[in-house]
Amino acid sequence: MPTVDELYDEAIKTQQQGDLDGGIAKLRDLLASHPDYALAHGALSVFYSKREQYDEAIEHAQRVCELEPEDPFSFVALSLVCQKAGRIAEAEQALWQARQASAQARFRT
């Protein structure tokens, strides 16, 4: 049985070979059995953004932020998707959260 990382790699490979829908399907299948796998949510956010399905992209980007609240990049990615969707207030909020996560990371070290 493949590991979660192998399933993720397979989904990314599928997308990179030009099958965006197949990559999305594989990631959704992966999340059905591993709902807290942040990388899959991040990839789905990117893939849905490519399809201009911004509500779905934002949903998955928000889930990454919930799973990785100490990672400033998660909030930057959410901000970018919100910008593409024209949701500027949400983009600014996510950027503020990125700054907060970054400041907290500096404080811990």
Side-chain angles (χ1 to χ4, degrees), residues 4-5 7-8 11 25-35 37 40:
V4 66
D5 292 325
L7 292 170
Y8 173 80
K26 288 177 187 276
L27 289 170
R28 292 181 62 79
D29 288 345
L30 184 159
L31 287 173
S33 57
H34 299 88
Y37 191 66

Side-chain angles (χ1 to χ4, degrees), residues 17-83:
Q17 292 173 340
D19 184 3
L20 183 59
D21 291 337
I24 288 172
K26 288 177 187 276
L27 289 170
R28 292 181 62 79
D29 288 345
L30 184 159
L31 287 173
S33 57
H34 299 88
D36 294 337
Y37 191 66
L39 285 175
H41 285 288
L44 275 174
S45 179
V46 171
F47 293 174
Y48 280 128
S49 184
K50 286 182 181 198
R51 292 172 80 181
E52 297 183 1
Q53 291 179 262
Y54 296 118
D55 289 339
E56 292 87 348
I58 290 169
E59 176 184 329
H60 287 284
Q62 288 172 332
R63 185 66 180 128
V64 174
C65 293
E66 292 169 6
L67 294 168
E68 304 285 342
E70 297 177 358
D71 180 11
F73 178 77
S74 300
F75 294 99
V76 171
L78 173 58
S79 179
L80 292 172
V81 174
C82 288
Q83 287 177 45

